[in-house]
């Protein structure tokens, strides 16, 4: 009995403050998150804390998650759509240890979804919050290396160099060559980096029901897209934005033809194989098919 | 209240605040979460890193209490990150509040109104981020003049101030600067 009590006392959640971060750290992140929501698409600087994982491995998303999460939350963490990859599993284990919240793979049951580079296929609801891990928050970095200058460009909504970059890309390649991290206009004011989600996911941000929070731990920036906010990919009148094309391809597991597919090369035969990127969606599709049969 | 209980309460109130800021015009009831809505909300947001300014009749007493509870510094309204005022509003003083700069619009102040009595239908139409297409109408429980002043200050978006309205019930409504306000004639 004594041993059990000692074990309980030494368990993760009792050794640290609830949700790991101290209350002052949470307070700052919360203040900045509210400002980010009030100014959609604007990057709010914040004092990123040291976390027990290396910067660049989701410390931004993790800090926002820990500042937002409560005991009643149900958490889902995905990495490139998968619930079971290393980054997702480690982050889930850590958050479970310091909060003891319920963890799920079910996109519909989750109240908080922390994600690395995908948005679940199932439309999210107003009860849900999605938190994006962001490696590079500055969409203008491609055209301007100076932080002071990009800040001025955002301040004056001077995005001509970004438009020129896209135009030159079309001239050189016959296509806008940006795949993931496709820049978007938020609320008709700020150009924003939507994190390296595929083009496929961009339209899910537009006028979404859920709150979208973005955080870059290494670059120390928080930004947000509130629900019912206009989010438009950058495009020209005569050169429209288009998403990845999976025509004629389907998932080898569930047979789905309407989800975002991962392409896997078979090492021995060189054949290309396709699987749903969203593992929860794929499992549900497979189960539904099994039930029908 | 123990530190863990305080941490849990702060988190619950913050989620209501975040919900209200991302869905302007919707009333978020605090229910049994907090007993003193204003002080509990200030405890979520304020600490030694920010400055606040209290206006209204009991400003000295309330200011001392806030300083003792949160550690935040009392400063002039032109320097304050948080301006705390009764629901009657602060009138033209609002124009002295920080609006941020184009490089750092997040430096704009948050105005916290307390003791408001909101109603469902109001004279103004609110639209913008967080509001479904077509806009909504509600009475946030602060004077029409104050709403017009907020609309004027926030007309230069992204510069402006954000409003948190703490209601008597207890509940809260937020009016971020991105909100477009029309009507009220």
């Amino acid at each position: 009995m004594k041993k059990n009590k000692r074990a309980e006392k030494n368990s993760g959640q009792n050794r640290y403050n609830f949700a790991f971060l101290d209350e002052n750290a949470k307070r700052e992140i919360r203040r900045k998150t509210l400002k980010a929501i009030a100014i959609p698409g604007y990057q709010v600087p914040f004092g990123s804390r040291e976390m027990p994982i290396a910067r660049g491995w989701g410390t931004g998303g993790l800090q926002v998650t820990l500042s937002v999460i409560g005991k009643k939350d149900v958490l889902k963490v995905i990495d490139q759509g998968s619930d079971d990859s290393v980054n997702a599993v480690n982050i889930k284990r850590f958050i479970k240890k310091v909060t003891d919240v319920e963890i799920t793979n079910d996109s519909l049951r989750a109240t908080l979804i922390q994600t690395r580079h995908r948005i679940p296929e199932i439309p999210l609801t107003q009860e849900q919050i999605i938190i994006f891990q962001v490696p590079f928050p500055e969409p203008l970095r491609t055209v301007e290396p100076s932080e002071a200058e990009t800040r001025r460009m955002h301040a004056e909504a001077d995005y001509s160099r970004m438009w020129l970059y896209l135009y030159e890309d079309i001239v050189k390649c016959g296509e806008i060559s940006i795949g993931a991290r496709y820049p978007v206009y938020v609320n008709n004011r700020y150009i924003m980096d939507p994190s390296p989600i595929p083009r496929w996911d961009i339209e899910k941000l537009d006028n979404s029901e859920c709150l979208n929070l973005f955080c870059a731990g290494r670059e120390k920036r928080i930004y947000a897209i509130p629900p019912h906010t206009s989010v438009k990919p950058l495009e020209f009148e005569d050169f429209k934005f288009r998403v990845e094309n999976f025509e004629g391809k389907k998932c080898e597991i569930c047979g789905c033809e309407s989800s975002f597919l991962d392409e896997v090369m078979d090492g021995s035969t060189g054949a290309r194989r396709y699987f749903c990127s969203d593992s929860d969606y794929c499992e549900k599709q497979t189960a539904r098919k099994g039930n029908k049969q | 209240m123990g530190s863990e209980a305080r941490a849990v309460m702060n988190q619950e109130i913050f989620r209501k605040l975040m919900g209200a800021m991302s869905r302007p015009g919707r009333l978020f009831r605090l229910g049994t979460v907090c007993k003193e809505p204003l002080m509990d909300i200030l405890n979520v947001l304020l600490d030694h890193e920010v400055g606040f300014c209290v206006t209204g009749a009991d400003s000295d007493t309330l200011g001392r209490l806030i300083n003792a509870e949160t550690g935040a510094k009392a400063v002039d309204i032109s320097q304050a990150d948080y301006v705390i005022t009764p629901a009657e509003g602060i009138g033209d003083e609002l124009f002295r509040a920080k609006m941020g700069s184009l490089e750092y619009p997040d430096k704009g102040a948050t105005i916290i109104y307390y003791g408001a009595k909101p109603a469902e239908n109001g004279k103004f139409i609110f639209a913008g981020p967080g509001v479904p297409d077509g806009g909504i109408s509600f009475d946030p429980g602060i004077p029409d003049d104050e709403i017009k002043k907020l609309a004027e200050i926030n007309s230069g978006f992204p510069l402006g101030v954000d409003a948190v309205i703490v209601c008597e019930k207890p509940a809260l409504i937020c009016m971020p600067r991105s909100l477009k306000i029309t009507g009220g004639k």
Side-chain angles (χ1 to χ4, degrees):
Chain A
M1 190 70 180
K2 260 186 183 176
K3 215 174 184 181
N4 282 346
K5 271 192 175 173
R6 194 177 303 146
E8 195 182 313
K9 202 177 174 186
N10 288 335
S11 73
Q13 43 175 315
N14 289 329
R15 272 187 295 177
Y16 294 103
N17 188 33
F18 174 76
F20 186 75
L21 294 170
D22 60 273
E23 288 304 298
N24 277 344
K26 284 185 199 167
R27 219 170 257 128
E28 195 222 347
I29 295 169
R30 286 168 178 169
R31 283 196 297 261
K32 301 295 167 77
T33 304
L34 291 179
K35 286 293 173 196
I37 294 168
I39 316 168
Y42 166 73
Q43 301 165 46
V44 185
F46 82 108
S48 183
R49 269 65 178 180
E50 289 291 337
M51 300 301 289
I53 55 171
R55 287 207 165 135
W57 289 87
T59 53
L62 187 58
Q63 287 176 77
V64 169
T65 300
L66 293 172
S67 306
V68 164
I69 201 164
K71 292 192 168 179
K72 295 172 197 160
D73 275 312
V74 180
L75 178 76
K76 174 183 168 81
V77 183
I78 47 173
D79 175 5
Q80 300 278 14
S82 169
D83 292 282
D84 303 318
S85 68
V86 175
N87 190 236
V89 170
N90 282 338
I91 288 175
K92 267 189 280 199
R93 274 192 197 148
F94 173 68
I95 297 175
K96 171 80 181 167
K97 199 168 186 180
V98 295
T99 61
D100 201 29
V101 297
E102 188 185 344
I103 305 286
T104 185
N105 288 353
D106 187 344
S107 303
L108 280 177
R109 277 200 64 229
T111 55
L112 282 184
I113 301 174
Q114 182 176 326
T115 176
R116 178 173 172 268
H117 315 344
R118 270 313 311 275
I119 299 176
E121 297 290 349
I122 295 169
L124 301 179
T125 67
Q126 57 177 342
E127 313 302 331
Q128 296 177 299
I129 298 169
I130 183 163
I131 298 160
F132 295 78
Q133 299 172 199
V134 182
F136 307 106
E138 182 50 76
L140 303 176
R141 194 61 72 229
T142 329
V143 294
E144 174 53 57
S146 157
E147 170 63 24
E149 183 59 11
T150 52
R151 195 159 278 280
R152 181 202 64 77
M153 290 162 78
H154 282 299
E156 296 173 7
D158 172 10
Y159 295 131
S160 50
R161 284 166 67 187
M162 192 69 201
W163 286 108
L164 186 62
Y165 173 80
L166 298 182
Y167 170 75
E168 285 180 344
D169 216 9
I170 296 168
V171 171
K172 275 188 213 160
C173 315
E175 174 64 275
I176 294 174
S177 58
I178 306 169
R181 287 188 69 204
Y182 195 94
V184 292
Y185 244 122
V186 178
N187 191 29
N188 247 343
R189 175 58 180 79
Y190 285 103
I191 285 187
M192 192 199 88
D193 183 313
S195 85
I197 55 172
R199 289 178 174 210
W200 185 272
D201 286 340
I202 297 282
E203 66 174 26
K204 295 176 192 162
L205 293 171
D206 182 35
N207 213 15
S208 71
E209 285 290 332
C210 69
L211 170 63
N212 305 273
L213 299 175
F214 300 77
C215 189
R218 186 178 46 198
E219 305 284 329
K220 305 179 178 72
R221 296 287 183 275
I222 295 175
Y223 51 104
I225 303 173
H228 307 292
T229 301
S230 157
V231 179
K232 301 291 176 204
L234 267 57
E235 61 180 3
F236 295 97
E237 271 178 25
D238 55 349
F239 202 95
K240 294 292 179 190
F241 169 79
R242 59 196 180 99
V243 301
E244 292 82 355
N245 183 7
F246 295 111
E247 211 176 310
K249 300 174 181 82
K250 60 181 181 181
C251 172
E252 282 194 22
I253 299 171
C254 69
C256 181
E257 294 175 353
S258 58
S259 70
F260 184 78
L261 300 174
D262 283 339
E263 187 181 74
V264 180
M265 293 286 280
D266 190 319
S268 51
T269 63
R272 290 162 194 263
R273 305 174 68 189
Y274 294 91
F275 303 96
C276 284
S277 155
D278 184 339
S279 57
D280 172 55
Y281 182 76
C282 191
E283 278 170 26
K284 282 186 180 138
Q285 294 281 101
T286 312
R288 201 172 297 145
K289 274 196 166 174
N291 285 342
K292 272 186 187 170
Q293 285 166 2
Chain B
M1 184 181 285
S3 59
E4 186 172 341
R6 169 63 74 185
V8 170
M9 189 172 90
N10 281 353
Q11 185 276 333
E12 287 181 17
I13 296 171
F14 172 68
R15 282 292 279 274
K16 304 273 181 187
L17 261 172
M18 195 166 72
M21 195 59 91
S22 53
R23 292 182 167 79
R26 191 187 291 185
L27 193 72
F28 280 74
R29 295 196 186 283
L30 296 169
T32 52
V33 176
C34 54
K35 293 191 170 61
E36 295 173 66
L38 177 65
M39 283 313 295
D40 290 338
I41 286 170
L42 294 179
N43 259 312
V44 174
L45 297 172
L46 271 60
D47 61 18
H48 62 282
E49 289 181 3
V50 297
F52 71 92
C53 172
V54 184
T55 71
D58 293 329
S59 59
D60 283 349
T61 320
L62 186 56
R64 274 196 296 273
L65 183 65
I66 293 169
N67 172 256
E69 282 267 331
T70 66
K73 301 174 291 283
V75 294
D76 184 68
I77 192 168
S78 60
Q79 301 295 316
D81 301 298
Y82 292 88
V83 178
I84 297 127
T85 176
E88 292 78 50
I90 47 176
D92 288 339
E93 279 288 279
L94 201 54
F95 291 101
R96 291 185 59 226
K98 284 201 294 183
M99 290 168 62
S101 63
L102 282 171
E103 282 80 11
Y104 294 95
D106 57 302
K107 300 285 180 197
T110 301
I111 317 291
I112 301 179
Y113 297 92
Y114 62 91
K117 291 176 187 164
E120 275 189 10
N121 292 313
K123 295 176 190 167
F124 296 90
I125 305 289
F126 299 89
V131 181
D133 284 346
I136 49 166
S137 173
F138 66 95
D139 174 4
I142 58 175
D144 291 352
D145 258 8
E146 194 80 0
I147 297 175
K148 284 178 186 165
K149 286 188 176 97
L150 281 172
E152 192 181 334
I153 287 171
N154 293 340
S155 61
F157 181 86
L159 301 183
V161 297
D162 308 304
V164 174
I165 298 160
V166 185
C167 315
E168 274 184 341
K169 278 284 179 170
L172 54 90
I173 299 180
C174 288
M175 293 169 61
R177 70 188 71 179
S178 56
L179 211 53
K180 289 190 180 75
I181 305 171
T182 51
K185 286 174 187 170

